Amino acid sequence: MAQAPTSPPKPESPKDRLARLRAELSAETSRAVAVMPLGHPVIDAHLPCGGLSLGPPHEIVPAEPIDAIAALAFALALCARRLAEVPGEAMIASSGHPLPYGHGLASLGLDPGRLLLLEAGGDGDVFRALEAALHANCLSALIGLVGEGMPLKAGRRLQLAAETGEPPLLLVVRRAGPGLPNGAATRWRVAAAPAGADRFGGLHAPRWRVRLERCRNGRGGSWLVEWDSAANRLHLPERLADDAAAAGRARP
């Protein structure tokens, strides 16, 4: 008995095909990119895959020359968050920048015993030290303190070196000035802000005004953030957090 001919499969519509490809790409990206969430959903929503990508460098810039310490503190806070999540040490390579001291590190939640400090002769030496550390694949976080910024070639070399092993958090802090094209995955511009006060009027939490002015595969934003050194995460001050949550609920 002859079987009835089967009908050919229904062709996939362009809309369905696009949705399928997006889902496959998103799943592949999530598997391929390791990230470190910053601890607040409002900020993490602006970053691809919900956090700072590990491996490629991230650039941190003072908003003005007077904000150099604020930019360094922001970088150290991110380093503290990384070290709170994974074992191992971090390295800070500096060219002409003042190096942090023990009490300041401890106030941000960083254990000075887990930091290696390297004083380099110039920006080129800093980038070579960061590249060598990436190839060695033995540190969990790297911070480079430079003067003139990261050239495109140096950024590309750091990206390639980061692909050789378990990716660390890699931050490059430079002086204030206009941003030049480079291999950074994000660029953060940081300004000092009045610290948070406790119920007795004492200062208890550093605050910064941060602007995410460049983000590969993400979107920019600007926030007043507060660092919680006990939980090793960023907060929005309570009133601003409530406003952001209300704005999110009001969206259709």
Side-chain angles (χ1 to χ4, degrees), residues 2-228:
Q3 294 181 348
T6 58
S7 58
K10 184 179 179 181
E12 191 176 31
S13 69
K15 183 178 180 181
D16 291 341
R17 184 168 182 270
L18 181 60
R20 177 176 58 80
L21 290 175
R22 281 177 173 169
E24 292 175 357
L25 180 61
S26 176
E28 183 65 28
T29 302
S30 298
R31 288 193 297 269
V33 178
V35 301
M36 183 189 76
L38 299 187
H40 197 286
V42 173
I43 303 174
D44 288 333
H46 286 245
L47 300 167
C49 301
L52 283 182
S53 55
L54 300 177
H58 300 272
E59 191 176 35
I60 298 176
V61 189
E64 301 292 341
I66 198 173
D67 297 310
I69 299 301
L72 175 59
F74 180 70
L76 292 172
L78 298 182
C79 179
R81 179 164 178 80
R82 174 65 173 163
L83 293 184
E85 295 179 342
V86 297
E89 289 77 38
M91 182 182 76
I92 302 175
S94 173
S95 169
H97 283 246
L99 291 172
Y101 67 103
H103 292 298
L105 293 170
S107 70
L108 292 170
L110 263 172
D111 178 2
R114 297 180 68 186
L115 289 180
L116 306 174
L117 302 181
L118 172 67
E119 294 190 68
D123 287 2
D125 290 335
V126 169
F127 292 123
R128 281 188 285 273
L130 295 176
E131 185 179 352
L134 289 170
H135 283 302
N137 190 28
C138 60
L139 296 171
S140 299
L142 301 169
I143 299 178
L145 309 180
V146 298
E148 301 305 321
M150 182 170 56
L152 189 59
K153 183 178 179 180
R156 181 56 180 159
R157 289 182 64 92
L158 291 177
Q159 281 186 303
L160 293 173
E163 295 173 359
T164 60
E166 184 69 21
L169 175 66
L170 174 55
L171 307 172
V172 176
V173 184
R174 65 172 176 84
R175 295 194 183 104
L180 300 176
N182 57 40
T186 62
R187 178 183 295 137
W188 301 80
R189 201 166 289 274
V190 181
D198 59 22
R199 60 193 179 119
F200 302 107
L203 303 181
H204 80 104
R207 289 180 178 178
W208 309 289
R209 296 189 181 277
V210 300
R211 185 168 80 249
L212 179 56
E213 63 178 26
R214 180 175 179 268
C215 183
R216 189 188 308 158
N217 300 323
R219 54 197 175 97
S222 182
W223 305 274
L224 171 64
V225 299
E226 183 175 280
W227 177 245
D228 183 344

